[in-house]
Amino acid sequence: MTSALDNGVKGGKWFSLIDKAIRPSTLEVAWRKVAANKGAAGVDGESVERFAARSDDYLRELSESLSARTYRPSPVKRVEIPKGDGKTRPLGIPTVKDRIVQTALKMAIEPIFEASFRNGSYGFRPGRGAKDALREVDRLIKDGYVHVVDADLKSYFDTIPHDRLMALVEEKISDGAILALIEGFLGQDIMTEMARWRPTAGTPQGAVLSPLLANVYLHPLDLLMEARGRRMTRYADDFVILCRTEAEAAAALAEVEAWVSAHGLALHPTKTRIGDCRRPGQGFEFLGYRFEAGRRWARDKSRKAIRDKVRAKTKRNRGDAMARIVADLNPMLRGWFEYFKHAAKPEFPSLDGFVRRRLRAILRKQAKRPGFGRCADDHQRWPNAFFANLGLFTLEAAREQARRSR
């Protein structure tokens, strides 16, 4: 019989993991995952495509340097990604080699933490996702948990204290080589076009390990809420607590405020509130949806985001054939529908009309006709059936089909 000691476990801690993480077969699987995710090049300019050309050599070098304990992470390239509200959020882009090592590390340590993560945590976990979290929120509201604590952690990924995070990791793992690699990734320099610095807190959004480490740090909050009987649904740093009474919601918020303050974090003062989601104006937003007055629909930012994406693909001077433009739009529209098909507001016809207007504007430009696709004769020249024959995905038709198939 194999003992826990033989498996590298003693006293509830894993002390022999590094060989599993850096063996060539693990690095090969990690490389395939990184290649499938694609992504931009890091500070060394090495793209996934360039790495692929010499992947055997690079993976052998990685394995050798990891085995010799000489591997050192490169700086993380930071870029600003636009948000729906006109602001930006920072995204860290590690090098391809660092992404491979982080993926291998994650493969080795994730099952250890997964064994203790709670049911109320849904973000970045195997076999769980946003739709599961939304179903749970919907179920709780229908069961009478209508008073919500809508909390927002301020700059969570950038403010996680390294020392406290490592202390939580060390509760499960005592392998010094694994811990040194994790600390090395937490301490990676950050580089922009104008500056370079070493962070004293946080884990970069965009790094492979960051979502797992973020869940590790908030796991004690999950335990606290569970012990207090709170119904908290959390997706990474985005969470709501649904309660039966306003008094219970106020008590839950006080508990969260105390925990957050004690653990080096902060709640956003203007984005954290309690309310009765049955009442107009007191609803809440969670994972792209707004829940209010017994219904849920795509929040304003979600609608604006899909329209912005449509605009980017339907510029009037785009010279491609309409069939190609439609083929480019369809996966995006289909994906948006699959996520928001349970929205209550009748917004699908409006979005369908917006897409067709954009396409008519392109056709009008290609035909050297003035205007922006809103002229009365455009519907006669290019009726809805014209786009249907090209295979344009329409949300309203998809919703009707989904209703008939129930």
Side-chain angles (χ1 to χ4, degrees):
M1 182 180 292
T2 302
S3 69
L5 186 62
D6 294 330
N7 284 326
V9 187
K10 184 178 180 181
K13 287 189 178 184
W14 290 75
F15 65 89
S16 181
L17 284 171
I18 190 64
D19 290 342
K20 298 178 179 67
I22 68 175
R23 62 172 57 132
S25 59
T26 304
L27 293 174
E28 175 64 35
V29 173
W31 154 238
R32 289 202 295 267
K33 290 177 179 285
V34 170
N37 289 332
K38 300 180 181 179
V43 295
D44 61 356
E46 183 100 82
S47 65
V48 168
E49 293 76 18
R50 285 180 58 188
F51 190 97
R54 293 187 55 201
S55 61
D56 290 343
D57 293 336
Y58 286 146
L59 290 175
R60 184 172 58 255
E61 292 172 5
L62 266 182
S63 181
E64 291 172 354
S65 63
L66 286 164
S67 297
R69 309 293 192 262
T70 59
Y71 180 85
R72 297 293 182 271
S74 301
V76 173
K77 179 180 178 181
R78 173 171 282 197
V79 297
E80 297 293 329
I81 303 299
K83 293 170 62 176
D85 55 5
K87 299 179 182 179
T88 62
R89 67 177 178 88
L91 179 69
I93 305 176
T95 64
V96 173
K97 291 180 181 179
D98 284 348
R99 300 205 292 265
I100 293 170
V101 176
Q102 288 197 37
T103 301
L105 263 179
K106 183 184 176 190
M107 290 166 59
I109 70 174
E110 184 175 54
I112 296 170
F113 293 102
E114 268 294 318
S116 59
F117 283 164
R118 312 315 295 164
N119 286 336
S121 168
Y122 292 88
F124 306 105
R125 294 184 59 193
R128 314 189 113 214
K131 289 184 179 180
D132 301 307
L134 290 167
R135 278 192 287 268
E136 176 63 7
V137 167
D138 201 46
R139 183 190 70 80
L140 287 168
I141 291 174
K142 289 175 180 176
D143 284 351
Y145 293 86
V146 294
H147 294 271
V148 62
V149 177
D150 186 6
D152 186 277
L153 290 170
K154 188 175 181 180
S155 302
Y156 172 61
F157 280 84
D158 288 335
T159 57
I160 301 173
H162 288 172
D163 56 345
R164 297 183 183 187
L165 172 59
M166 288 305 303
L168 289 172
V169 173
E170 290 168 15
E171 288 181 4
K172 298 285 187 181
I173 297 171
S174 60
D175 186 315
I178 290 283
L179 296 173
L181 279 174
I182 296 174
E183 287 185 313
F185 284 120
L186 289 176
Q188 284 174 285
D189 283 0
I190 306 294
M191 287 186 64
T192 66
E193 292 183 357
M194 303 296 293
R196 173 173 176 163
W197 71 95
R198 178 156 296 183
T200 57
T203 179
Q205 294 189 63
V208 177
L209 275 176
S210 289
L212 174 59
L213 295 177
N215 276 332
V216 168
Y217 199 71
L218 288 179
H219 176 61
L221 177 61
D222 295 340
L223 292 175
L224 173 66
M225 292 294 102
E226 192 174 276
R228 299 286 174 85
R230 308 300 185 204
R231 268 57 173 192
M232 182 170 81
T233 304
R234 182 173 68 79
Y235 191 94
D237 61 327
D238 193 1
F239 63 89
V240 292
I241 305 170
L242 291 162
C243 307
R244 289 194 180 277
T245 67
E246 183 178 357
E248 183 184 347
L253 177 56
E255 292 162 1
V256 169
E257 288 174 333
W259 187 92
V260 165
S261 177
H263 289 79
L265 303 174
L267 291 174
H268 200 294
T270 61
K271 296 182 180 179
T272 300
R273 48 178 288 278
I274 60 175
D276 182 345
C277 69
R278 294 171 298 184
R279 299 182 179 181
Q282 291 195 34
F284 63 95
E285 296 180 352
F286 186 59
L287 300 180
Y289 274 91
R290 182 163 184 85
F291 293 81
E292 186 171 302
R295 299 187 304 165
R296 66 173 177 170
W297 59 85
R299 66 176 187 167
D300 291 344
K301 286 184 180 179
S302 301
R303 292 199 298 273
K304 181 181 184 302
I306 185 63
R307 288 178 179 243
D308 287 345
K309 290 178 180 178
V310 169
R311 288 188 183 96
K313 290 181 179 292
T314 57
K315 295 180 179 178
R316 291 181 67 237
N317 59 359
R318 181 167 177 176
D320 292 330
M322 185 52 57
R324 183 170 181 177
I325 298 173
V326 166
D328 195 19
L329 283 171
N330 278 348
M332 180 179 68
L333 294 172
R334 189 175 288 109
W336 198 87
F337 171 78
E338 283 301 317
Y339 192 80
F340 289 105
K341 62 184 176 183
H342 299 296
K345 269 193 172 182
E347 54 201 280
F348 295 151
S350 174
L351 182 54
D352 286 336
F354 172 76
V355 172
R356 286 190 289 260
R357 284 197 303 274
R358 297 288 300 182
L359 296 178
R360 289 187 180 105
I362 294 174
L363 291 168
R364 178 170 281 275
K365 175 77 171 178
Q366 291 176 349
K368 302 189 185 317
R369 294 161 62 88
F372 293 89
R374 293 175 179 269
C375 297
D377 65 339
D378 284 343
H379 284 272
Q380 296 177 350
R381 188 179 179 90
W382 301 295
N384 293 355
F386 171 83
F387 299 107
N389 290 334
L390 288 173
L392 178 66
F393 181 86
T394 57
L395 291 85
E396 183 64 12
R399 181 170 67 171
E400 289 303 317
Q401 183 177 354
R403 283 177 175 173
R404 288 195 297 269
S405 62
R406 287 176 185 171

